[in-house]
């Protein structure tokens, strides 16, 4: 691919802290989100969801609902059965966040399933009518949890054909010759995303063409999946996302409610908008499922790991062949000659789970990093020293080298800044009055992902640039990075760059997932800018042009001019006056990905690949540190301080990068102490923000993110690794390990509650 050459003669916009270019619009209220869409003659929808976990619908009483003034229509499976075709889950080769067909039959597969859609003139009327819909049910036996009677346990390798359980050596023999063995069970709870912006859609028809205004992390999947569901040509569907007010995995792809809203809009002959309730969002989107991890870790007396056995069990739905998998990371993190893993899925009568920021690493690393801390205590070794003795430059499973491995550099930088040397290794000995003080640490690692993308890059008169691609801005700062990259590589200022995102009328791009947005889009942008530079050079070195005869390879864009190696300069304004606007639409395909990956992305399917292809294992790394106080009498836990040191390749904007990392760390605090969805007989009982606890300003400790240099030339041409998910990983284990250091109590099931410490 064409990557812009040496940039030493250009303003270094990349790598310099820069505020978000969309920031002023957000803080002044000028920013517009999908639910802000206001169309002429707009009607409003509300959902009716099932009140039983499994069974069938025997009938409806709609008289009271229809009597609500302003009610326009009530749609059930009797109206839409057969109108919505099945599509598979995105991660099973399809497009959807769930393979369950909305309003497809009288069958009830889980509590909270959509059973009716009510449309009215106003939000209030729709909600009032929906509350008056009476549904008759015939309940059936159900299973809702890991230990429920009737739940089906299957090997993940049988559920997901491409899955394999990583292994090497003889784990039983390794455990037998170990001087110390940690054997424990670790558990993490159900958690829900709860983004500020609810899951919403507005559908409007113009003859055969459908426009959908919907926040989604993969616009192409919505477009192509909806086309497959409704029997339409994808070219007749436009999806507009605009800015997205948070998803962190939940607005995965094609949602269950989009097709019914689209059909209702067509039936009524007017646009229809749905903004569901907070309670509805717990079942109409995906979530992080509960997990269970049985770990056996063996080591010699001097702290060398001899064996690791990791048996993991996760929840899956009855109808989707999807479950999160994570032993590929735990098996490869440390040097260990004997590894055995076993991943199982328990299929139950609930909605399909899905990615939640750092999908497998948050629960899986909680288990492993807690076990490593237990081993350090058993061997009377410092937890960082134990990790150092088991650091490795080579993946023990594949035998491949890591493209870079700055894990211990992160621990060293973090330990020094945090004051780790002050830690007393004996639990319970550090006190401040009635408070027990504890320090804990854990590793943070995340495999690098990268995906194909397409993009249009244009330069016009006045030296203004436009960058356009059908991705979106979730708040991670990609709009700013694209502006900075275009400015640096085209020799202009960021203020002269317009970034257009969030619309399928723009060149196709993939999903935001796997921390792959920056790695994918910045490489695509670099390729587009290099194509524009080549066009300008060709025009400038023509016989009658300002740089006639100059060596094209020596020409650089900087300071709104094209400069030759001999010092001659051709102002951009003059060149563009000669050429008119120049534009290139480029397609980026990562190394190791064939043309089929680009075609899959353009068709709305998953196309995430790894960083260094087949040559090496590429990960981003970090070290998390936590200081906690536990009240000796009440058991109250307070986190005083969080510090993370992160090595994530080249950092393009330290300001937004640090914001992402510290935000993830705060979410990790929530994962450790607060977040848990309560399941009771198939229902999520605390499905609101009054009882589902998230970290607030009052919970926020002193928090700091450090950057550790990680010049990885092998990972990809720009040395990018992505860091969106890195900040949350390991925080829950660091806090749990700190609680042990403070109290001597080992908490192996999250979240940590007062009652665990009394």
């Amino acid at each position: 691919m064409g990557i812009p050459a040496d940039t030493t003669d250009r303003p270094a916009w990349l790598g310099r802290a820069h505020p978000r270019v969309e920031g002023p619009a957000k803080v002044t209220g000028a920013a517009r989100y999908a639910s802000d869409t206001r169309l002429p003659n707009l009607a409003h929808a509300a959902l009716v969801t099932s009140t039983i976990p499994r069974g069938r619908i025997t009938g409806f009483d709609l008289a009271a609902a229809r009597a609500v003034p302003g009610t326009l229509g009530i749609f059930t499976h009797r109206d839409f059965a057969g109108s919505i075709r099945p599509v598979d889950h995105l991660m099973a080769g399809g497009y959807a966040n769930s393979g369950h067909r909305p309003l497809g039959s009288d069958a009830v597969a889980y509590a909270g399933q959509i059973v009716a859609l009510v449309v009215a003139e106003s939000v209030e009327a729709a909600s009032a009518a929906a509350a008056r819909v009476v549904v008759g049910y015939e309940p059936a036996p159900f299973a809702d949890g890991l230990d429920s009677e009737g739940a089906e346990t299957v090997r993940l390798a049988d559920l997901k054909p491409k899955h394999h359980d990583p292994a090497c050596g003889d784990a039983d023999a390794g455990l037998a010759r170990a001087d110390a063995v940690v054997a424990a069970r670790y558990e993490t709870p159900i958690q829900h995303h709860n983004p500020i912006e609810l899951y919403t859609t507005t559908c409007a028809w113009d003859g055969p063409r459908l426009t959908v205004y919907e926040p989604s992390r993969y616009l192409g999947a919505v477009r192509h999946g909806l086309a497959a569901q409704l029997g339409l040509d994808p070219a007749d569907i436009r999806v507009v996302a605009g800015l997205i007010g948070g998803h962190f995995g939940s607005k995965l792809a094609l949602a269950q409610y989009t097709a019914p809203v689209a059909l209702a809009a067509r039936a009524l002959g007017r646009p229809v908008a749905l903004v569901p309730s907070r309670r509805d969002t717990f079942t109409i989107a995906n979530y992080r499922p509960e997990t269970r991890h049985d770990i056996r870790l063996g080591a010699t007396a001097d702290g060398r790991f001899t064996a690791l056995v990791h048996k993991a069990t996760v929840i899956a739905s009855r109808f989707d062949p999807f479950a999160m998998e994570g032993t590929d990371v735990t098996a490869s993190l440390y040097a260990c000659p004997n590894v055995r893993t076993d991943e199982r899925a328990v299929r139950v009568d609930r909605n399909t789970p899905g990615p939640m920021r750092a999908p497998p690493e948050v629960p899986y690393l909680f288990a492993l990093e807690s076990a490593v801390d237990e081993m350090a205590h058993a061997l009377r070794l410092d937890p960082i020293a134990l990790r150092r003795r088991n650091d490795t430059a080579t993946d023990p499973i594949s035998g491949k080298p890591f493209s870079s491995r700055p894990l211990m550099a992160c621990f060293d930088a973090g330990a020094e800044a945090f004051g780790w040397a002050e830690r007393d290794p004996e639990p319970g000995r550090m006190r401040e009055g009635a408070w027990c003080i504890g320090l804990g640490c854990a590793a943070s690692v995340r495999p690098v992902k990268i995906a194909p993308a397409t993009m249009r890059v244009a330069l016009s008169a006045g030296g203004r640039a436009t960058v356009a691609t059908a991705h979106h801005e979730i708040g991670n700062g990609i709009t700013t990075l694209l502006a900075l990259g275009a400015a640096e590589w085209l020799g202009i200022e960021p203020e002269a760059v317009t970034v257009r995102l969030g619309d399928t009328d723009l060149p196709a791009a993939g999903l935001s997932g796997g921390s792959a947005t920056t790695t994918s889009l910045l490489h695509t942008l670099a390729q587009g800018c290099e194509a524009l530079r080549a066009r300008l050079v060709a025009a400038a070195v023509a016989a009658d042009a300002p740089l006639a005869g100059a060596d094209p390879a020596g020409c650089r864009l900087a300071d709104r001019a094209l400069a030759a190696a001999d010092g001659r300069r051709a102002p951009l304004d003059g060149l563009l006056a000669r050429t008119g606007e120049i534009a290139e639409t480029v397609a980026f395909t990562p190394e190791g990905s064939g043309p089929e990956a680009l075609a899959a992305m353009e068709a709305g399917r998953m196309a995430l690949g790894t960083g260094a292809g087949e040559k090496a294992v590429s990960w981003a790394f970090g070290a998390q540190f936590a200081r906690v106080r536990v009240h000796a009498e009440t058991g109250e836990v307070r986190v005083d301080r969080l510090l993370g040191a992160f090595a994530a390749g080249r950092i393009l904007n330290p300001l937004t990068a640090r914001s992402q990392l510290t935000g993830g760390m705060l979410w990790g605090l929530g994962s450790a102490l607060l977040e848990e969805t309560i399941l009771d007989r198939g229902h999520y009982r605390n499905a609101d923000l009054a009882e589902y606890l998230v970290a607030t300003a009052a919970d926020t400790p002193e928090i700091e993110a450090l950057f550790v240099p990680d010049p990885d030339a092998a990972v990809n041409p720009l040395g990018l690794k992505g860091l969106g998910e890195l900040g949350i990983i390991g925080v829950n284990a660091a806090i749990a390990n700190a609680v042990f250091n403070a109290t001597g109590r080992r908490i192996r099931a999250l979240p940590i509650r007062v009652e665990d410490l009394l």
Side-chain angles (χ1 to χ4, degrees):
M1 63 172 286
I3 292 295
D6 179 24
T7 63
T8 56
D9 59 344
R10 305 176 192 151
W13 295 111
L14 293 173
R16 185 194 304 180
H18 196 286
R20 301 174 190 271
V21 298
E22 83 283 5
K26 288 183 172 179
V27 299
T28 60
R32 288 293 177 264
Y33 296 81
S35 55
D36 294 324
T37 302
R38 294 293 181 266
L39 302 175
N41 202 30
L42 183 66
H44 300 271
L47 300 176
V48 180
T49 59
S50 65
T51 58
I52 62 168
R54 187 164 176 260
R56 70 179 189 89
I57 298 168
T58 59
F60 296 92
D61 183 349
L62 306 179
R66 286 175 174 150
V68 173
T71 300
L72 299 171
I74 302 173
F75 303 94
T76 72
H77 69 275
R78 295 174 176 175
D79 302 285
F80 289 161
S83 301
I84 303 173
R85 302 173 187 177
V87 297
D88 289 334
H89 193 281
L90 180 71
M91 295 187 183
Y95 305 100
N97 70 2
S98 170
H100 186 267
R101 202 180 331 181
L103 302 183
S105 72
D106 64 356
V108 175
Y110 57 91
Q113 170 187 320
I114 300 170
V115 297
L117 181 76
V118 178
V119 183
E121 294 286 359
S122 67
V123 172
E124 295 78 9
S127 299
R132 288 163 173 76
V133 171
V134 178
V135 186
Y137 296 105
E138 182 181 298
F142 65 91
D144 63 353
L146 291 171
D147 300 314
S148 297
E149 182 180 352
E152 178 191 9
T153 301
V154 298
R155 295 174 62 248
L156 211 55
D158 293 333
L159 186 67
K160 303 175 71 171
K162 294 184 179 180
H163 174 82
H164 70 281
D165 291 321
C168 65
D170 186 336
D172 292 331
L175 289 170
R177 66 171 179 267
D179 296 310
V181 174
V182 169
R185 170 171 287 182
Y186 305 90
E187 297 178 292
T188 64
I190 308 167
Q191 295 174 337
H192 278 80
H193 302 78
N194 282 298
I196 294 174
E197 180 193 29
L198 295 166
Y199 313 128
T200 179
T201 192
T202 298
C203 296
W205 293 85
D206 182 6
R209 290 186 56 81
L210 171 63
T211 300
V212 178
Y213 302 88
E214 181 171 312
S216 172
R217 62 187 286 207
Y218 196 176
L219 278 68
V222 178
R223 180 187 210 178
H224 289 271
L226 197 55
Q229 281 188 324
L230 300 182
L232 301 175
D233 185 336
D236 286 332
I237 298 177
R238 180 189 179 198
V239 182
V240 180
L243 296 170
I244 295 179
H247 70 59
F248 307 108
S250 59
K251 296 163 186 173
L252 176 62
L254 177 63
Q256 297 179 47
Y257 44 80
T258 310
V261 173
L263 290 177
R266 186 163 64 182
L268 296 172
R270 58 191 292 187
V272 174
L274 169 69
V275 180
S277 69
R278 175 69 61 181
R279 181 166 293 276
D280 287 338
T281 66
F282 276 65
T283 58
I284 64 174
N286 49 289
Y287 60 98
R288 192 196 305 281
E290 62 267 53
T291 69
R292 179 179 291 165
H293 307 265
D294 292 304
I295 298 278
R296 285 186 288 161
L297 181 64
T300 61
D302 65 350
R304 309 286 178 178
F305 294 156
T306 62
L308 169 65
V309 177
H310 187 168
K311 180 180 179 181
T313 308
V314 301
I315 285 291
S317 70
R318 297 278 193 190
F319 42 82
D320 274 318
F322 168 78
M324 294 310 305
E325 51 198 299
T327 57
D328 56 329
V329 173
T330 58
S332 297
L333 180 51
Y334 297 113
C336 189
N338 305 291
V339 176
R340 183 171 70 244
T341 64
D342 181 3
E343 293 191 76
R344 305 290 173 103
V346 177
R347 309 191 78 172
V348 296
D349 301 300
R350 280 166 45 198
N351 53 318
T352 301
M356 186 168 177
R357 176 152 280 202
E361 290 85 6
V362 167
Y364 281 70
L365 265 293
F366 167 70
L368 179 63
E369 289 300 282
S370 296
V372 169
D373 197 77
E374 295 202 42
M375 179 62 77
H377 181 71
L379 296 174
R380 304 189 70 81
L381 286 173
D382 180 86
I384 297 177
L386 178 60
R387 290 176 172 87
R388 193 182 310 279
R389 293 182 191 185
N390 293 282
D391 195 25
T392 176
T394 304
D395 172 16
I397 302 299
S398 69
K400 296 177 184 178
F402 285 92
S403 60
S404 70
R405 175 80 183 196
L407 177 62
M408 296 318 302
C410 293
F411 272 104
D412 291 342
E416 181 178 359
F418 187 71
W420 182 255
E422 299 172 6
R423 174 182 180 269
D424 188 326
E426 191 63 32
R429 288 204 304 212
M430 293 189 293
R431 297 288 290 261
E432 289 180 358
W435 295 90
C436 303
I437 307 301
L439 306 183
C441 69
S444 176
V445 296
R446 173 70 188 168
V448 175
K449 302 291 184 181
I450 190 168
T454 60
M455 184 179 294
R456 184 179 189 271
V457 187
L459 261 175
S460 58
R464 295 199 59 84
T466 302
V467 177
T469 186
H471 210 274
H472 62 263
E473 172 65 70
I474 189 187
N476 56 352
I478 189 60
T479 307
T480 306
L481 290 185
L482 291 173
L484 297 180
E488 181 164 323
W489 293 325
L490 296 176
I492 57 179
E493 299 76 32
E495 294 74 19
V497 181
T498 298
V499 178
R500 298 179 59 209
L501 301 171
D503 191 331
T504 54
D505 279 356
L506 305 175
L511 85 165
S512 66
S515 300
T517 296
T518 298
T519 56
S520 306
L521 294 189
L522 265 291
H523 281 91
T524 313
L525 173 65
Q527 187 170 304
C529 290
E530 180 63 13
L532 289 192
R533 188 196 69 86
R535 292 265 300 273
L536 286 169
V537 168
V541 302
D544 61 343
L547 304 185
D551 178 10
C555 293
R556 298 287 184 268
L557 278 167
D559 299 327
R560 299 177 63 86
L562 186 68
D566 59 12
R568 285 184 292 161
R569 295 169 59 82
L572 268 182
D573 288 346
L575 284 173
L576 292 168
R578 292 166 55 88
T579 63
E581 179 185 78
I582 58 171
E584 290 282 351
T585 299
V586 294
F588 165 69
T589 303
E591 180 182 356
S593 299
E596 67 279 0
L598 180 65
M601 180 279 298
E602 292 179 326
R605 292 190 168 89
M606 280 275 289
L608 280 178
T610 57
E614 296 300 315
K615 302 188 296 293
V617 175
S618 294
W619 288 4
F621 293 89
Q624 304 277 11
F625 294 83
R627 183 185 193 271
V628 306
R629 288 181 294 133
V630 182
H631 198 280
E633 296 178 359
T634 67
E636 179 187 357
V637 182
R638 302 295 294 179
V639 177
D640 282 342
R641 187 181 179 201
L642 291 175
L643 182 142
F646 302 99
R650 184 183 178 192
I651 304 301
L652 298 179
N653 185 352
L655 184 64
T656 53
R658 187 170 285 107
S659 175
Q660 280 220 73
L661 291 169
T662 55
M665 293 165 69
L666 184 58
W667 197 4
L669 182 154
S671 170
L673 301 180
L674 301 170
E675 292 197 48
E676 179 182 19
T677 305
I678 304 301
L679 181 69
D680 177 26
R681 294 190 55 78
H683 296 266
Y684 303 133
R685 294 301 186 186
N686 58 330
D688 54 55
L689 287 180
E691 297 182 21
Y692 184 93
L693 304 180
V694 298
T696 67
D699 303 297
T700 302
E702 178 185 340
I703 186 167
E704 184 179 2
L706 308 176
F707 296 116
V708 175
D710 182 20
D712 190 342
V715 63
N716 50 54
L718 292 176
L720 305 178
K721 288 190 171 180
L723 49 70
E725 293 170 284
L726 193 61
I728 188 177
I729 299 166
V731 177
N732 49 15
I735 292 174
N737 295 338
V739 168
F740 174 76
N741 182 239
T743 66
R745 292 205 179 187
R746 184 67 68 177
I747 310 301
R748 300 188 180 99
L750 297 180
I752 301 170
R753 300 292 200 199
V754 167
E755 51 266 34
D756 298 324
L757 298 167
L758 290 177

